[in-house]
């Protein structure tokens, strides 16, 4: 059986990548499972999807604990423990990471000694497309490592992306072809492993919590400012940037921000708390003067210390 996990951020198409790969397996006569798993359903939030494939009936269920292949669309997730990219890896697990760095550079940066490959992927032409080419690239590269044919990948693309225009379909096909060729030196490197139980046999260590009177627990549930303890800026793949010269100080971005991450400076201009902005870009959509721009995060690894906010209240 093959076991594959795709890790990315909301908006990067990892659910679509798992479906493309699952369909490619099915076209070559495999029984398949593919399913996504979300945390917070927001653009930029970590999520993953998984695929199982075998020539016989698959009895395993649930999350894959010992993957044969882990495909990572955003290398910054490797530094985010809650994303679980490196969780439950087996000794033979192969990492395929979208990165401009070489495998050796990444291993040194991460202090990691395990099988690792890198995949160079283009930046999507349309950052708001529902099926960015990253999904096609990740699926095609994985298919090459698993020994599947490019023809099956192309058929799977047309099955799963049938709603796209001819132009976007051609873009996805081109990206998939490029990723498939990049992994050609490593064709069939990921082999099948025997079926094992999906759930650990170790019994969980239960913690029995005492019952609390509602007068104690309710204030904690509805208390304010608890979200300030969690820096959610690492969820972003894009961040909003306010151009003050175009801003009329209408207050709409502050009103519509679901996280309360937009406040005002001493001159009444809105400014963004990048430690807590999750990159949903609702403010950009609501701005009537288009004074807010979506900016790609700087560097391969997200750096949330860079510009904690745009305020200057000195």
């Amino acid at each position: 059986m093959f076991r594959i996990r795709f890790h990315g951020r909301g908006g990067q198409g990892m659910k679509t990548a798992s479906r493309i790969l699952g369909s490619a397996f099915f076209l070559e006569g495999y029984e398949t499972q593919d399913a996504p798993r979300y945390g917070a359903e927001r653009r930029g939030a970590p999520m993953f999807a998984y695929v199982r494939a075998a020539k016989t009936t698959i009895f395993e269920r649930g999350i894959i604990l010992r993957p044969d292949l882990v495909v990572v669309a955003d290398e910054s997730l490797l530094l985010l423990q809650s994303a679980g990219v490196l969780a439950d890896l087996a000794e033979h697990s192969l990492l395929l990471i979208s990165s401009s760095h070489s495998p050796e550079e990444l291993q040194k940066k991460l202090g990691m000694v395990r099988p690792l490959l890198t995949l160079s992927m283009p930046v999507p032409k349309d950052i708001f497309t529902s099926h960015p080419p990253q999904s096609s690239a990740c699926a095609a590269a994985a298919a090459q490592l698993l020994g599947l044919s490019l023809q099956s990948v192309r058929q799977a693309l047309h099955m799963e992306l049938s709603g796209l225009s001819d132009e976007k379909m051609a873009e996805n096909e081109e990206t998939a072809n490029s990723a498939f060729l990049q992994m050609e030196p490593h064709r069939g490197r990921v082999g099948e492993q025997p079926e094992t139980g999906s759930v650990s046999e170790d019994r969980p260590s239960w913690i029995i919590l005492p019952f609390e009177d509602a007068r104690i627990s309710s204030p904690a549930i509805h208390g304010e400012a608890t979200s300030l303890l969690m820096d959610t800026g690492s969820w972003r793949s894009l961040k909003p940037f306010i151009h003050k010269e175009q801003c009329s100080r209408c207050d709409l971005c502050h009103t519509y921000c679901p996280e309360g991450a937009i406040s005002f400076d001493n001159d009444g201009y809105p400014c963004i708390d990048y430690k807590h902005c999750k990159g949903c870009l609702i403010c950009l959509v609501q701005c009537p003067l288009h004074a807010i721009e979506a900016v790609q995060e700087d560097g391969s690894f997200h750096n949330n210390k860079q510009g904690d906010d745009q305020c200057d209240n000195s």
Side-chain angles (χ1 to χ4, degrees):
M1 179 188 299
F2 292 105
R3 301 172 184 83
I4 304 95
R5 282 202 320 236
F6 290 90
H7 288 265
R9 295 178 181 272
Q12 289 183 319
M14 291 303 95
K15 173 184 175 181
T16 305
S18 71
R19 291 190 61 83
I20 293 171
L21 183 62
S23 294
F25 267 121
F26 185 78
L27 290 168
E28 297 203 4
Y30 286 85
E31 295 284 334
T32 61
Q33 292 178 3
D34 68 81
R37 175 152 180 156
Y38 296 92
E41 296 190 37
R42 189 182 298 277
R43 176 178 290 273
M47 62 84 63
F48 72 88
Y50 61 84
V51 177
R52 286 187 179 90
K55 289 290 188 178
T56 57
T57 303
I58 300 174
F59 294 102
E60 284 187 11
R61 294 293 185 272
I63 298 171
I64 293 175
L65 298 180
R66 293 172 59 81
D68 306 312
L69 175 63
V70 178
V71 183
V72 186
D74 188 327
E75 66 185 65
S76 68
L77 292 175
L78 295 164
L79 302 179
L80 192 62
Q81 187 174 3
S82 60
V85 174
L86 303 179
D88 304 310
L89 297 186
E91 289 186 6
H92 70 277
S93 298
L94 175 65
L95 286 172
L96 174 62
I97 302 170
S98 170
S99 175
S100 58
H101 296 91
S102 69
E104 294 73 24
E105 288 173 332
L106 274 186
Q107 286 174 326
K108 182 177 180 180
K109 184 184 290 285
L110 298 169
M112 178 186 299
V113 181
R114 67 160 41 257
L116 188 154
L117 298 173
T118 56
L119 172 66
S120 175
M121 289 197 294
V123 176
K125 295 178 182 177
D126 179 2
I127 60 175
F128 298 109
T129 182
S130 58
H131 296 292
Q134 286 98 323
S135 59
S136 301
C138 287
Q144 179 77 282
L145 294 173
L146 295 160
L148 301 180
S149 69
L150 182 58
Q151 180 181 359
S152 295
V153 174
R154 287 173 175 168
Q155 285 184 257
L157 282 176
H158 284 270
M159 290 170 60
E160 300 301 332
L161 308 181
S162 59
L164 296 185
S165 65
D166 291 342
E167 180 183 358
K168 288 188 176 181
M169 180 61 76
E171 182 184 355
N172 277 268
E173 286 184 332
E174 180 182 350
T175 303
N177 290 343
S178 175
F180 195 85
L181 288 175
Q182 280 187 59
M183 292 297 111
E184 189 171 18
H186 308 284
R187 178 167 179 78
R189 179 166 173 176
V190 179
E192 292 190 69
Q193 300 294 323
E195 186 168 355
T196 59
S198 297
V199 180
S200 172
E201 296 180 358
D202 297 332
R203 295 179 63 84
S205 299
W206 296 108
I207 299 175
I208 306 299
L209 299 177
F211 177 78
E212 288 184 342
D213 187 272
R215 288 172 295 181
I216 298 174
S217 58
S218 293
I221 293 172
H222 298 288
E224 297 178 353
T226 55
S227 62
L228 293 176
L229 303 177
M230 178 66 70
D231 290 351
T232 50
S234 63
W235 292 14
R236 294 190 305 269
S237 53
L238 298 166
K239 66 180 179 182
F241 183 85
I242 299 172
H243 294 279
K244 290 185 178 180
E245 67 276 9
Q246 296 176 233
C247 177
S248 67
R249 295 178 281 190
C250 69
D251 188 29
L252 283 177
C253 56
H254 168 263
T255 301
Y256 280 98
C257 178
E259 302 302 328
I262 299 179
S263 57
F264 301 96
D265 63 14
N266 290 335
D267 296 323
Y269 286 100
C271 52
I272 300 170
D273 173 11
Y274 286 127
K275 285 185 178 179
H276 298 97
C277 169
K278 297 175 182 175
C280 67
L281 301 180
I282 291 175
C283 56
L284 181 151
V285 175
Q286 295 298 330
C287 180
L289 297 181
H290 307 292
I292 303 177
E293 177 186 3
V295 180
Q296 194 79 28
E297 286 286 351
D298 295 333
S300 299
F301 293 87
H302 290 305
N303 181 7
N304 295 316
K305 299 297 183 184
Q306 178 184 2
D308 289 342
D309 56 47
Q310 286 189 289
C311 289
D312 182 10
N313 292 322
S314 56

